[in-house]
Amino acid sequence: MAKDVKKISLNVSYEEKPTEQISLIGFLFLCNGRLLQQQPVREDLLEFDLTQPDPAGTDPGKPAAGTGPGRPTAGKDLGNPEAGIDPGKSPAAGAPTNAAGTAPRPINSQDLRLFIAPATDKNIQNVQSLDELEQYKPYEPILQTNADGNFSILPIPGLLSKFWPFCSCRVTGKVSKWFSVDNTWEDRPVCKARVHICDIDAILYWIYKIPDYIIAKIPELILNPQEVIKFPIPIPDPPPFSINSFAAPSPEKKSLFRTTSVEEQQMDIAASLPELSIDIRQTLASGNLNRIRETIAANYTLFHPWLCLWPYYWPWFYRRRELAVVYTDANGRFDTLVSYWCTGDKPDIYIWVEYLINGVWTTVYEPPIPCYTFWDYACGTNINIHVTDPRVPGNCCCDCGIPGEAVWIRAVGGASTAHINQQNLLQPPPGQSVNYNRIGLTDAAAIYDPWFLPTTPGDFKRPFGGFPTFVVGFGTDMPNAGMYYYRWSYKKVANASLTAVSDSYKALLPVGGSVQKGYEFTYLDSHGVTQWAPNSVKLGPFTVGSNDNLYIIPPEYPFMAPFNAPETDPQWNEQTYRNLSITFDSTDLRDAAMAKGDGLYAFKLEVFDQAGNLLTNVPKTTFKIPDYNSSGYSVNAPDILLDSPTLTTANGYNMLMRIDNSGCEAKIYTVKVNGVSASSDCCGFVAYRPGEVDAVLDLSFKAAHPNNFAVFGFSVERGACGDVPIADANGMVIDSANGYIRNNSSIYDKPFTPSQLLESCYSAGAGKAAFAEILSVAAMATDGSYRLAGKDQGDIAAFALEP
């Protein structure tokens, strides 16, 4: 047994020599998992020198404070590819790396763990821990010493080395997302998404590393499947498929009474799974863990549908190894060559996707591995990924800069400014009769709209609320000395009931106190590989001259004046032609007395020169809005959207928007029998034939909103029979609907005969049935993209009818 080991020299050989040469690398750890050194194998010789300290002076496995391996350092020049690189991460070739960072101390050979792995993937040089090394399928020999203190190891076993050769495979595909544009659905590409391409390791390599207690549970899960695990939103789309048309899915209505037994659920689940042979079933039921392991490995593909139901077991049975990280282009495409373990079959490709949201790379697509892996992927075939995360934009565009000094006020969030009504317009909701003024409302759809809130072009029905964002495109000739800054201001025009109020324009303040415009840039990491990183610049607010709350009109690219971003290839997160000019808190809007509240507001956009002087009499053609029928095209803003317009000029852009942040109210009331609230006992039964005569049964509920900007959906279900259509209703809370009469307190009431509610259960006045009442009241307000679902209310009630 060697003590105080200084140097180790080992001959490396194979039990079965590979057909092609494989470059190898060795890792030396202490038994506590602390990395001592990594060294390449040169001419079948692996050597470690433990006498030299590590120049990094860091704790193994942890980058130096404030840095990450190969990443820019906060507070340094991010434009310099060398800035912030951990100097201890990649020492000069051949230099030993003692990760202790201190003078060597005596080392006992029995305290050492040696690993040898293929070095074909250069990312292995980043390994700092045993967990990180595991994915490279390392060989761990036992260090043996002879009487002279020389070290030796046994040859690399053929069972392991057969996994080490690498093959190349072309992986290509597209990332896209469905968007509602001009009230139609478009499948748009997602550009600048970060796509992680992974290979799922062959289970043969690590099946014997799965603990016995996990293996022992698998037969019961496969032979007696009992439940399907529901996955959280956003649910990913299935593997590649063709879509010829797309429509928003109709919501599934689930009866509160329609339940199934455990036995029925088990039968339904089992019926949807592949058939297992008698031999497999017998082996799984044998209780022999070794035979069960071998059966799982031999029928790995067959068991994917079962394992897909149980997320708890995924880490044990599915190990992914990252092959490449690529970025989608302006068409949402990605295309790269990857290396994978050549084990006699094709790679099993799994993909997950990130997107830069608010300067942070955020996972937007990471579906279950067993259900969404492209098993035995045919290299070069397209992989189509549809993301559903609502935060991912679909504004990829090639050479889409706006020429000249144009100012294109495009949208509030995702709602086109052309679809915000600017005139007094009295109309009732569809299917109802009470008129209300549509001024300042939009006809746009929103994320989280319920099924009973349909949208139709021209049906301006919903106000704005929450945190709207004004999306403005600026021309490529800006900023310049003559047009350099912009400013948003607002004033209250009318209260929530549209009674006019007196007010003057005030500065519109951004959420967070400033407007930052983010961009990405590239740099070379410590291995010479191109990476991406985020940064941002401040657009405002600034005080210039006598005017405050001014914001810089951003140039077409970050490297242009006035920002002159120094990094390599900087690109805006949101292009200047679709710039997020300001996001504001609509609950903080105030009137002349500085009181907050809902109502009709005017929002004005003005432009200033470089000296901070307000520009007036600007050519009218400067201000654009989207075409009503196609938001990808611009038109000159009409006079109704301009400030102080003349025949040829205007002082700015001015837009009316109804703001409403009020909440809903929902309440279901007790069933009435002949006009009197039923006093059912604790058993919940209501007698519908007092005195042997069928009574009049009234169902009533309250669906309310302070300013009537809400819709409701009310449904009645009878036992397992399902819906009672005659008792259902939906509409805007401003008026009666489907026979339910609304009073001034927004309480809805409708009379029924017992036979109308009981239907087939009536049995000539002798029948009985249980009922459920379900009420949902949804706020209509939107921030331009999302409906303010947090303002919703609902209620559920139940009753039973008997003679």
Side-chain angles (χ1 to χ4, degrees):
M1 177 179 67
K3 296 183 179 180
D4 193 12
V5 178
K6 302 295 185 182
K7 294 184 179 182
I8 297 176
S9 181
L10 298 164
N11 288 313
V12 179
S13 61
Y14 294 91
E15 281 184 353
E16 301 174 10
K17 191 168 184 177
T19 56
E20 296 182 1
Q21 184 176 359
I22 303 174
S23 59
L24 301 175
I25 188 171
F27 290 83
L28 196 63
F29 288 85
L30 281 176
C31 56
N32 61 6
R34 175 179 155 207
L35 175 62
L36 295 177
Q37 280 190 27
Q38 58 170 267
Q39 290 293 338
V41 176
R42 295 188 177 93
E43 298 181 353
D44 299 330
L45 188 65
L46 176 59
E47 294 181 305
F48 296 100
D49 185 350
L50 303 181
T51 63
Q52 299 186 31
D54 173 27
T58 57
D59 182 10
K62 295 183 180 179
T67 69
R71 296 183 180 180
T73 305
K76 293 190 178 181
D77 178 11
L78 299 183
N80 180 359
E82 301 302 326
I85 302 303
D86 182 356
K89 188 66 190 73
S90 295
T97 57
N98 185 323
T102 59
R105 61 180 179 81
I107 296 177
N108 190 320
S109 63
Q110 288 191 335
D111 293 337
L112 298 175
R113 295 184 68 182
L114 173 66
F115 295 86
I116 300 173
T120 311
D121 186 345
K122 61 184 176 182
N123 288 323
I124 198 172
Q125 298 175 37
N126 295 325
V127 165
Q128 292 288 321
S129 68
L130 292 172
D131 288 341
E132 294 173 354
L133 184 60
E134 177 69 20
Q135 64 177 312
Y136 296 97
K137 300 180 172 62
Y139 166 48
E140 183 180 10
I142 296 176
L143 283 172
Q144 300 176 350
T145 56
N146 59 20
D148 297 327
N150 295 320
F151 291 94
S152 65
I153 57 174
L154 293 176
I156 299 170
L159 183 63
L160 182 60
S161 62
K162 73 177 183 179
F163 289 100
W164 284 3
F166 277 84
C167 294
S168 293
C169 178
R170 183 176 182 178
V171 180
T172 184
K174 180 179 180 179
V175 179
S176 62
K177 176 185 168 184
W178 287 102
F179 290 88
S180 177
V181 181
D182 301 325
N183 289 284
T184 61
W185 288 92
E186 293 183 9
D187 188 18
R188 289 187 169 184
V190 175
C191 55
K192 295 192 290 186
R194 185 153 71 181
V195 179
H196 297 256
I197 301 172
C198 306
D199 185 25
I200 303 303
D201 285 342
I203 196 172
L204 284 172
Y205 170 68
W206 42 271
I207 183 67
Y208 289 98
K209 298 182 181 181
I210 301 176
D212 286 349
Y213 76 91
I214 294 294
I215 296 295
K217 293 179 180 179
I218 299 305
E220 179 67 18
L221 301 182
I222 293 176
L223 298 176
N224 299 295
Q226 294 187 3
E227 64 175 296
V228 177
I229 305 299
K230 300 296 184 182
F231 301 107
I233 295 174
I235 298 174
D237 291 296
F241 62 99
S242 297
I243 297 182
N244 296 320
S245 61
F246 180 85
S250 300
E252 178 184 356
K253 289 186 177 181
K254 176 176 172 57
S255 171
L256 297 179
F257 295 99
R258 191 166 298 166
T259 59
T260 56
S261 67
V262 172
E263 292 76 15
E264 290 173 323
Q265 289 183 359
Q266 185 172 345
M267 291 177 62
D268 290 342
I269 295 169
S272 66
L273 296 171
E275 185 66 30
L276 296 178
S277 68
I278 296 298
D279 290 342
I280 292 176
R281 289 182 171 275
Q282 289 178 343
T283 301
L284 292 176
S286 69
N288 186 318
L289 296 185
N290 284 333
R291 292 184 61 198
I292 293 172
R293 286 180 195 273
E294 294 169 358
T295 298
I296 293 173
N299 299 277
Y300 189 46
T301 303
L302 180 64
F303 291 140
H304 292 324
W306 277 272
L307 294 173
C308 189
L309 305 179
W310 302 96
Y312 173 80
Y313 296 97
W314 296 345
W316 298 107
F317 289 90
Y318 299 95
R319 295 188 181 183
R320 68 189 188 196
R321 183 176 63 89
E322 193 160 272
L323 304 178
V325 179
V326 294
Y327 295 83
T328 55
D329 63 14
N331 297 307
R333 299 284 306 173
F334 59 91
D335 192 3
T336 190
L337 284 175
V338 300
S339 297
Y340 67 98
W341 303 107
C342 299
T343 54
D345 64 348
K346 296 294 185 180
D348 299 319
I349 297 298
Y350 172 81
I351 288 178
W352 62 284
V353 180
E354 294 178 294
Y355 200 84
L356 195 65
I357 299 174
N358 296 325
V360 178
W361 283 107
T362 305
T363 300
V364 295
Y365 178 88
E366 193 174 17
I369 290 177
C371 323
Y372 291 87
T373 293
F374 294 80
W375 303 104
D376 293 328
Y377 171 67
C379 298
T381 57
N382 279 324
I383 296 177
N384 299 316
I385 302 295
H386 279 83
V387 300
T388 58
D389 193 298
R391 298 167 295 178
V392 176
N395 56 1
C396 298
C397 196
C398 180
D399 192 26
C400 285
I402 304 170
E405 293 185 345
V407 179
W408 187 355
I409 301 90
R410 305 187 70 140
V412 180
S416 168
T417 52
H419 284 258
I420 303 174
N421 179 45
Q422 299 297 302
Q423 297 176 314
N424 289 302
L425 177 64
L426 292 175
Q427 283 184 340
Q432 296 177 294
S433 58
V434 175
N435 290 322
Y436 68 102
N437 198 328
R438 308 298 188 93
I439 190 170
L441 305 180
T442 181
D443 60 359
I447 297 169
Y448 303 135
D449 278 354
W451 65 269
F452 49 88
L453 180 51
T455 53
T456 305
D459 184 18
F460 303 102
K461 66 171 60 177
R462 65 194 324 157
F464 292 88
F467 297 88
T469 297
F470 289 155
V471 182
V472 180
F474 292 103
T476 54
D477 289 350
M478 298 186 288
N480 55 51
M483 194 174 292
Y484 197 88
Y485 297 100
Y486 68 90
R487 180 174 68 188
W488 281 102
S489 57
Y490 76 96
K491 69 175 181 179
K492 193 169 188 176
V493 176
N495 62 20
S497 61
L498 293 185
T499 302
V501 299
S502 177
D503 196 8
S504 57
Y505 281 100
K506 300 171 286 293
L508 186 63
L509 303 179
V511 172
S514 67
V515 174
Q516 302 285 331
K517 187 169 180 63
Y519 65 91
E520 299 166 294
F521 63 92
T522 63
Y523 69 96
L524 297 179
D525 66 14
S526 57
H527 300 290
V529 178
T530 299
Q531 305 291 356
W532 289 62
N535 206 344
S536 64
V537 295
K538 180 181 177 180
L539 298 187
F542 298 106
T543 297
V544 184
S546 61
N547 285 301
D548 55 12
N549 293 290
L550 303 187
Y551 300 82
I552 298 172
I553 296 173
E556 187 174 8
Y557 296 101
F559 60 77
M560 300 172 69
F563 300 117
N564 303 309
E567 299 92 345
T568 302
D569 192 25
Q571 300 287 334
W572 296 122
N573 295 339
E574 293 86 24
Q575 299 302 320
T576 303
Y577 60 77
R578 197 176 180 87
N579 183 65
L580 307 184
S581 66
I582 195 169
T583 299
F584 63 96
D585 182 356
S586 67
T587 66
D588 198 42
L589 299 178
R590 302 166 186 266
D591 59 18
M594 300 305 290
K596 303 177 184 180
D598 299 332
L600 182 66
Y601 288 82
F603 295 89
K604 182 166 63 174
L605 176 64
E606 300 167 301
V607 288
F608 299 76
D609 65 18
Q610 192 168 5
N613 299 309
L614 174 64
L615 299 180
T616 58
N617 299 317
V618 179
K620 288 170 60 173
T621 55
T622 300
F623 301 102
K624 314 286 185 182
I625 65 168
D627 180 78
Y628 180 84
N629 295 310
S630 181
S631 60
Y633 293 85
S634 70
V635 297
N636 293 333
D639 284 355
I640 198 171
L641 284 170
L642 296 176
D643 182 49
S644 304
T646 67
L647 188 62
T648 59
T649 66
N651 290 343
Y653 175 86
N654 201 15
M655 174 176 60
L656 295 174
M657 291 171 52
R658 194 87 68 90
I659 301 296
D660 191 286
N661 287 288
S662 297
C664 303
E665 188 176 354
K667 176 66 178 177
I668 297 176
Y669 298 106
T670 304
V671 178
K672 293 181 180 178
V673 179
N674 291 330
V676 179
S677 295
S679 55
S680 62
D681 57 23
C682 63
C683 299
F685 283 93
V686 174
Y688 65 85
R689 285 179 61 84
E692 301 299 319
V693 178
D694 280 0
V696 176
L697 305 174
D698 282 77
L699 302 184
S700 57
F701 58 88
K702 184 173 186 176
H705 183 278
N707 304 313
N708 293 327
F709 287 122
V711 291
F712 73 90
F714 178 74
S715 62
V716 177
E717 297 177 1
R718 183 181 63 255
C721 299
D723 188 51
V724 184
I726 195 174
D728 295 348
N730 64 81
M732 194 169 169
V733 298
I734 198 172
D735 193 15
S736 303
N738 195 31
Y740 283 88
I741 305 302
R742 176 187 182 274
N743 66 17
N744 292 334
S745 299
S746 203
I747 295 175
Y748 292 77
D749 184 276
K750 183 177 180 179
F752 299 90
T753 64
S755 61
Q756 287 177 313
L757 294 177
L758 290 165
E759 292 182 336
S760 60
C761 300
Y762 181 60
S763 299
K768 61 178 66 177
F771 295 84
E773 300 170 280
I774 305 167
L775 173 63
S776 298
V777 184
M780 298 164 64
T782 176
D783 64 4
S785 300
Y786 299 85
R787 188 178 63 82
L788 304 190
K791 305 294 183 180
D792 297 354
Q793 289 292 326
D795 197 13
I796 298 176
F799 65 93
L801 293 179
E802 66 175 357

